[in-house]
Amino acid sequence: MGSRRNFIRKSLFGALAAGFASRYGYASGLIEKSVIQNQEFIKPTVISTWFHGLEANEAAWKIMQDGGSALDAVEKGVNVSEANPSVNSVGYGGLPDASGNVTLDACIMGSDGNAGSVACLQHILHPVSVARLVMEKTPHLMLSGDGALKFALDNGFRKTNLLTPEAKAAWKEWKKSGSSYAPMANWENHDTIGLVAIDHNGSIAGACTTSGMAFKHQGRVGDSPIIGAGLYVDNKVGAATATGEGEAVMKTLGSFLIVELMRNGMSPQEACEMAITRLLETIYVHKNMQVGYVAVNKAGETGAFSLKPGFQYALFQDNENKLFDAPYLMD
Ligand code: ASP
């Protein structure tokens, strides 16, 4: 009985899917022709956002070279930025919210489509590792605030003071200036790390971690822990990740959009450009807005694009780790 029901369900689903596919041009040939599924070679790749992506890439590449998985590589890669106090938008050293608290958002996604995330988590040095545990140990995708902290502490993480003297001084200075929140386009205020990788088995994973926008409203959550916004991975197609004004990325679900555009045949570069163009087509783009994307497809082709100048990305391929200025849409 059970198997008959399954058979009926599968046939029904198959028929519906076929109807949908032919109606919308998603015939499997179209999707799979464009790189993707019958890939003949594997090109190990690590691509990440910003200058500090270089050291994160280094750690990720080493793990993959030693036979580790893309999932381990992306986690350990971004752990480096989380622990670096000079990176003022990630983990330790991150600029606090308007009340002076460092609150962290992070997510991770693997080649099996599984994902985990944490939002508004305080006092934990490696939020992305908590996100990984949410993925692996709970039936949930996201934990937030006190619940995320309790989960982290229950699982052996220790409380750390994440507010460095420099970040505290910057917050005090900001308070003196009248405390008005004004998101800036320059790189000093946007250096979330998003990192995606293809390992030697061809598996793709990604991670994204941030302390969010400097001096944000208490309780604000950005794009970085939102699957589809700050990060998306589809092991058959590729992956994308975002930095910049999270509200804009969330409104356009940028990383998911990029992966879907690649699924339908665009190169990672074309897809990143389209996702940035989409901002102008669909939302109000204020003059200080910055958004940047990086992407990789199953073949190891990469792309990067931003709304404004200044966005850099780090690419590790063929044993070389290099920093590039991303092309951009407008001055
Ligand atoms: N995307 C991050 C956020 O909106 C900010 C950043 O990239 O620095 O929280």
Side-chain angles (χ1 to χ4, degrees), residues 89 105 189-192 210 212-213 220 222-224 243-247:
S89 211
D105 295 338
N189 280 308
H190 287 295
D191 57 6
T192 291
T210 190
M213 295 177 90
R220 181 262 188 188
D223 60 308
S224 305
T243 181
E245 197 170 310
E247 285 69 12

Side-chain angles (χ1 to χ4, degrees), residues 2-331:
S3 66
R4 186 163 179 271
R5 198 178 290 146
N6 275 343
F7 172 75
I8 292 171
R9 215 181 268 151
K10 272 189 193 153
S11 334
L12 191 64
F13 178 76
L16 283 172
F20 181 85
S22 60
R23 197 155 148 218
Y24 292 99
Y26 281 85
S28 56
L30 184 69
I31 299 170
E32 281 139 31
K33 228 190 288 161
S34 61
V35 187
I36 281 178
Q37 267 182 343
N38 302 320
Q39 128 232 32
E40 277 147 25
F41 66 97
I42 291 166
K43 193 164 180 65
T45 301
V46 182
I47 184 167
S48 62
T49 55
W50 301 112
F51 172 75
H52 53 274
L54 283 172
E55 58 176 7
N57 284 4
E58 204 74 50
W61 188 264
K62 182 165 185 332
I63 284 175
M64 299 198 318
Q65 218 169 20
D66 294 346
S69 67
L71 190 66
D72 287 341
V74 299
E75 179 195 357
K76 299 298 175 215
V78 302
N79 279 167
V80 175
S81 307
E82 289 176 333
N84 182 347
S86 72
V87 181
N88 68 10
S89 211
V90 184
Y92 179 57
L95 291 167
D97 68 8
S99 325
N101 301 308
V102 180
T103 65
L104 308 172
D105 295 338
C107 73
I108 189 161
M109 189 165 189
S111 59
D112 58 358
N114 210 357
S117 84
V118 290
C120 221
L121 172 64
Q122 292 187 58
H123 313 304
I124 299 292
L125 183 59
H126 291 305
V128 78
S129 301
V130 183
R132 182 166 176 175
L133 275 191
V134 172
M135 170 174 89
E136 289 175 346
K137 285 199 159 186
T138 79
H140 309 303
L141 191 150
M142 178 186 282
L143 294 180
S144 69
D146 289 346
L149 177 61
K150 181 176 185 308
F151 174 78
L153 298 175
D154 288 349
N155 282 282
F157 288 83
R158 278 182 296 121
K159 272 192 171 184
T160 310
N161 176 18
L162 300 172
L163 187 65
T164 58
E166 292 77 14
K168 193 171 182 178
W171 171 67
K172 284 196 164 154
E173 207 46 46
W174 170 79
K175 273 182 84 88
K176 269 194 239 157
S177 69
S179 307
S180 70
Y181 177 61
M184 299 291 287
N186 63 15
W187 62 269
E188 285 96 340
N189 280 308
H190 287 295
D191 57 6
T192 291
I193 184 144
L195 183 151
V196 296
I198 305 178
D199 66 23
H200 290 80
N201 294 319
S203 295
I204 308 177
C208 187
T209 175
T210 190
S211 52
M213 295 177 90
F215 320 129
K216 61 195 175 185
H217 284 282
Q218 190 173 14
R220 181 262 188 188
V221 171
D223 60 308
S224 305
I226 309 294
I227 295 299
L231 175 72
Y232 198 70
V233 175
D234 182 323
N235 199 50
K236 292 198 192 86
V237 177
T241 187
T243 181
E245 197 170 310
E247 285 69 12
V249 175
M250 288 187 277
K251 284 172 196 165
T252 52
L253 217 53
S255 295
F256 182 72
L257 174 63
I258 290 169
V259 172
E260 287 307 294
L261 292 170
M262 294 195 294
R263 185 194 306 283
N264 289 298
M266 278 193 189
S267 70
Q269 186 59 36
E270 289 167 338
C272 289
E273 290 178 17
M274 180 68 99
I276 291 290
T277 309
R278 183 69 59 88
L279 296 170
L280 290 180
E281 289 168 356
T282 54
I283 64 168
Y284 171 64
V285 174
H286 64 83
K287 72 176 178 14
N288 288 327
M289 185 184 285
Q290 173 64 309
V291 172
Y293 291 109
V294 297
V296 65
N297 68 12
K298 190 74 178 169
E301 295 167 332
T302 59
F305 200 65
S306 60
L307 184 61
K308 300 274 175 61
F311 174 47
Q312 294 186 304
Y313 67 100
L315 174 62
F316 209 140
Q317 258 181 346
D318 301 324
N319 283 314
E320 268 195 310
N321 193 18
K322 286 195 196 153
L323 189 69
F324 296 90
D325 290 325
Y328 54 89
L329 189 63
M330 60 207 277
D331 282 312

